[in-house]
Structures are given as structure tokens and as C-alpha cells.
Amino acid sequence: MKNTDSFLELLEIIRPYLPEDIDPGTMDRNSHLIDELNINSAHLVDIVLDLEDRYDIQLEDEDMQKMQTVGDALEIISKKTSDNNG
């Protein structure tokens, strides 16, 4: 899967959890999930569950702790999906 496709899929997963005052169009790879996008910890757990379902991967607690930005999430997804495929 292309990186751009993964980025767009990730944005679609994150979008429902954004507060109303956050414009989804401002998200990029450097967007910090908690500090910039104001995603609370409960919604972060929901996002992780959605990612596990969407990509058929298992994310550990340490993965969630490393998932600070959109780019971090993309890297973790990429690593986990390549681990599953090879």
C-alpha cells in the first residue's frame, strides 16, 4: 500500500474522534494527536482499536505510547503490516 493511501486512511479513522473545533484539513504527518488535535486518551484507545481492526494488526501498550503524531502512527502501522506479511 502506498504511503499516501495509508495517510488518507488514517485521517479517515481519526476524523470522527476530532473535537468540533479542530479542522480535519489541518492534519498532516507532524500533527500531534493529543497536543494539537486534542484527542483525549479514551478516543486514542478507540483509534488504536479501529487501526487494529482495519489493518488486522495487534498494537501493544508500547506502540500506543510511541504513537504521538500522525506520522508515528503511520510508521507503526507500516511496521506491523509488514511484520504480518513477511
Side-chain angles (χ1 to χ4, degrees), residues 2-40:
K2 292 182 183 174
N3 207 12
T4 303
D5 293 341
S6 295
F7 177 72
L8 294 175
E9 285 181 7
L10 180 58
L11 295 186
E12 288 304 311
I13 289 170
I14 293 172
R15 187 181 316 262
Y17 301 105
L18 291 174
E20 289 182 20
D21 62 333
I22 301 294
D23 177 5
T26 63
M27 284 191 290
D28 63 24
R29 285 174 170 72
N30 296 317
S31 295
H32 194 279
L33 296 170
I34 295 171
D35 294 343
E36 289 177 50
L37 300 178
N38 295 329
I39 294 173
N40 66 38

Side-chain angles (χ1 to χ4, degrees), residues 1 4-5 8 15 17 22 24 26 30 41-42 45 52 56 61-62 64 66 68 81 83:
M1 175 175 291
T4 303
D5 293 341
L8 294 175
R15 187 181 316 262
Y17 301 105
I22 301 294
T26 63
N30 296 317
S41 57
V45 170
E52 289 179 335
D56 193 26
D61 288 342
E62 77 177 40
M64 191 170 160
K66 291 178 186 176
Q68 300 295 311
T81 56
D83 288 351

